[in-house]
Structure formats: structure tokens, C-alpha cells
């Protein structure tokens, strides 16, 4: 059985994303697979490339052949160099910068009250219990 490491397409028209899979070479492109070892989102900026290095090394070691596209991805992640014996192989995948934390504009009036202020106000049942307790202590003092 010839095993290939290839891409399995998902997504909509003109919005593809792929999973890197290990499959029998005779199966359909999006058919049954042996194992999913990663994902690739080419439309993101920068492209998202996540491949499980341990599983990729295993499948390359037992003779699975990557397609041209997957071979290019493996070279970017450094897995191909490690498989070929290059000890200095590094990942050259660009990583997106984390998004800045959202800070509400203090100059504008907030639409909703924060939960802290709501918690500070006692509930109506609790307010009645507190007033009864205060009246009882006042009577005892008098």
C-alpha cells in the first residue's frame, strides 16, 4: 500500500483551508484518511501552518511520500530538514502578532453598568431583611 502525506480541502469556494493528512494514495482527495497530522490556512495573513512534528517524522520514517505542496510546508516547518538529517533545521513559519487588548474609551458614557456596581446594590428581599434587623436592634437599645 502506497501512503501519501497530502492536503485535504475544506472551506467554501474561494475560501479554502486544508488539513495535512496521511492517506492511501488510491483514495479520493477528500476521502478516508489514516491520520490527520496538521492544518494549513493559506488565506490568513500570515498563513497558518501547524504540523505535528512527531507524527510527520514517524510517517516519513516508515516511507510515506509527501506531495509537492506538503513537501514545501514541511520545509517551512523544518520537519523535512530533520528527516534528512540536518540538525540545524529550524521553522521559518511566520507567526501572527497577538492582538492588542481591547480598552473601552473612558471619555464615553458606558451603556451597561459593570457587574461590580450591580452586586453592591442589595436585592429587594435582602434590603427588607436588613431594615427589619435594623429596626429590631433599635428597639432593643430603647
Amino acid at each position: 500500500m502506497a501512503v501519501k502525506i497530502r492536503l485535504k480541502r475544506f472551506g467554501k469556494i474561494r475560501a479554502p483551508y486544508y488539513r495535512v493528512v496521511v492517506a492511501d494514495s488510491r483514495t479520493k482527495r477528500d476521502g478516508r484518511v489514516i491520520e490527520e497530522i496538521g492544518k494549513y490556512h493559506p488565506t490568513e495573513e500570515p498563513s497558518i501552518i501547524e504540523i505535528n512534528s512527531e507524527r510527520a517524522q514517524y510517517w516519513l520514517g516508515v516511507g510515506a511520500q509527501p506531495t509537492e505542496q506538503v513537501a514545501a510546508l514541511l520545509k517551512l516547518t523544518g520537519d523535512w530538514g530533520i528527516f534528512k538529517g540536518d540538525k540545524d533545521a529550524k521553522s521559518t513559519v511566520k507567526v501572527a502578532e497577538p492582538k492588542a487588548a481591547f480598552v473601552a474609551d473612558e471619555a464615553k458614557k458606558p451603556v451597561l453598568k459593570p457587574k461590580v456596581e450591580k452586586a453592591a446594590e442589595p436585592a429587594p428581599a435582602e434590603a427588607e431583611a436588613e431594615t427589619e434587623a435594623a429596626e429590631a436592634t433599635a428597639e432593643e437599645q430603647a
Side-chain angles (χ1 to χ4, degrees), residues 90-122:
K90 295 181 183 176
S91 175
T92 57
V93 176
K94 294 180 184 176
V95 179
E97 296 178 13
K99 292 182 179 179
F102 175 75
V103 178
D105 189 7
E106 296 295 330
K108 294 182 180 178
K109 181 179 174 183
V111 177
L112 300 173
K113 291 182 182 178
K115 290 183 178 180
V116 177
E117 291 178 15
K118 288 182 180 179
E121 297 175 10

Side-chain angles (χ1 to χ4, degrees), residues 1 3 12 19-20 50-51 60 72 81 88 96 104 121 135:
M1 175 171 84
V3 177
K12 299 184 287 187
R19 290 188 187 157
V20 180
E50 294 176 7
I51 296 178
L60 290 170
D88 299 329
E121 297 175 10
E135 291 173 3

Side-chain angles (χ1 to χ4, degrees), residues 43-55:
T43 56
E44 301 289 326
E45 185 55 44
S47 297
I48 296 173
I49 302 171
E50 294 176 7
I51 296 178
N52 184 345
S53 181
E54 181 180 313
R55 297 307 297 162

